């Protein structure tokens, strides 16, 4: 909450703390109400509400804060936001720090994940641009977004254990890319790197390759991990 003509400063934290790219791009969805500089400095222009969004320069992850501007201090009303700033699930693991949704098995659908979200009325799943729903399988690299109509409040990355290529299943392709990672002939990044860590020890090793191979051969079932 701000008073017209006041200024304030927002800060954003990028996870992990040692990430190579820490820069975020600030924006206001209603700059006539609240403007924001490239450093996150806010200026309240006129009464109303505006979402201020921080978008990571690398990866395009987003988080927003709703700023309400009042004409004077006498008009300030302490109200609860109608759209949640975070989400919970009865089955999936939702990491509020890293903004990752995990503990998802290959073959799980968009509808199954959405049903498990306690704040399901305010979330949507997206691919690169299109919304994903129904019986469409979840794949590593999809995004779960908290939305206020068309405004993105927060973006979570979806990770399906073992699915390194994002097609929603564990296949020979995933085995090949994991092997290439181990041999140094390919470099997995971001969500794909997490997905390749099938034993959940925080690194990609020969054990992960063996588990993926065993899963494909029907000798073992990969357990959905928390990241």
């Amino acid at each position: 909450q701000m008073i017209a003509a006041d200024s304030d400063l927002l800060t954003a934290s990028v996870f992990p703390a040692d990430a190579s790219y820490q820069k975020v791009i600030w924006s206001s969805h209603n700059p006539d109400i609240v403007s924001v500089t490239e450093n996150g400095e806010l200026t309240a222009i006129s009464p109303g509400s505006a979402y201020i969004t921080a978008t990571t320069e690398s990866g395009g992850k987003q988080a927003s804060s709703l700023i309400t501007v009042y004409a004077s201090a006498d008009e300030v009303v302490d109200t609860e936001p109608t759209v949640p700033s975070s989400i919970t699930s009865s089955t999936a693991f939702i990491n509020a720090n890293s903004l990752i949704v995990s503990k998802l098995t290959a073959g799980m659908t968009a509808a199954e994940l959405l049903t498990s979200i306690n704040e399901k009325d305010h979330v949507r799943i997206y691919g690169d641009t299109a919304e994903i729903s129904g019986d469409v399988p979840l794949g590593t690299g999809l995004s779960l977004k908290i939305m206020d109509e068309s405004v993105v409040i927060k973006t979570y990355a979806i990770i399906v254990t073992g699915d390194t290529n994002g097609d929603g299943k564990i296949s020979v392709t995933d085995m090949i890319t994991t092997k290439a990672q181990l041999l140094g002939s390919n470099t997995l990044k971001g969500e794909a790197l997490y997905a390749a860590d099938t034993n959940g020890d925080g690194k990609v090793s020969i054990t992960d390759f063996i588990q993926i191979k065993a899963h494909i051969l029907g000798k073992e079932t990969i357990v959905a991990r928390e990241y």
Side-chain angles (χ1 to χ4, degrees):
Q1 297 174 339
M2 299 179 69
I3 307 301
D6 280 355
S7 61
D8 203 349
L9 183 67
L10 282 181
T11 58
S13 299
V14 177
F15 183 93
D18 61 352
S20 300
Y21 299 97
Q22 292 285 329
K23 185 178 179 180
V24 299
I25 300 170
W26 294 96
S27 61
S28 170
H29 102 287
N30 197 341
D32 292 333
I33 302 297
V34 183
S35 64
V36 60
T37 69
E38 62 180 13
N39 298 317
E41 184 176 354
L42 308 178
T43 300
I45 307 299
S46 60
S49 296
Y51 279 107
I52 306 301
T53 301
T55 304
T56 58
E57 189 176 49
S58 175
K61 299 297 184 295
Q62 294 179 317
S64 300
S65 291
L66 180 64
I67 306 297
T68 300
V69 178
Y70 295 91
S72 67
D74 295 335
E75 296 182 2
V76 174
V77 177
D78 189 14
T79 58
E80 291 292 326
T82 57
V83 178
S85 59
S86 60
I87 53 177
T88 55
S89 169
S90 58
T91 56
F93 179 70
I94 299 178
N95 191 321
N97 294 317
S98 62
L99 298 182
I100 287 174
V101 179
S102 60
K103 201 178 177 182
L104 305 174
T105 57
M108 186 175 185
T109 66
E112 289 172 328
L113 174 58
L114 291 172
T115 299
S116 80
I117 302 295
N118 298 316
E119 302 79 9
K120 62 179 69 64
D121 291 341
H122 303 285
V123 298
R124 301 176 194 168
I125 299 174
Y126 282 90
D128 291 335
T129 56
E131 184 174 357
I132 304 298
S133 61
D135 293 332
V136 177
L138 295 174
T140 296
L142 294 179
S143 298
L144 182 70
K145 300 177 183 288
I146 301 177
M147 307 282 293
D148 185 355
E149 296 183 353
S150 62
V151 179
V152 177
I153 308 304
K154 194 168 290 184
T155 303
Y156 295 81
I158 290 175
I159 298 175
V160 178
T161 303
D163 171 32
T164 62
N165 69 344
D167 64 359
K169 56 187 177 181
I170 301 172
S171 65
V172 173
T173 302
D174 302 304
M175 185 178 72
I176 292 172
T177 55
T178 302
K179 181 179 180 180
Q181 170 76 14
L182 296 174
L183 295 175
S185 57
N186 183 47
T187 302
L188 292 173
K189 298 179 180 179
E191 291 81 29
L193 184 61
Y194 280 101
D197 174 24
T198 59
N199 68 345
D201 65 356
K203 59 185 178 181
V204 179
S205 66
I206 187 64
T207 302
D208 303 308
F209 171 77
I210 292 172
Q211 285 188 341
I212 292 175
K213 183 177 180 180
H215 180 95
I216 294 169
L217 295 174
K219 296 180 178 180
E220 183 179 337
T221 300
I222 287 179
V223 177
R225 302 294 181 180
E226 298 178 359
Y227 303 106

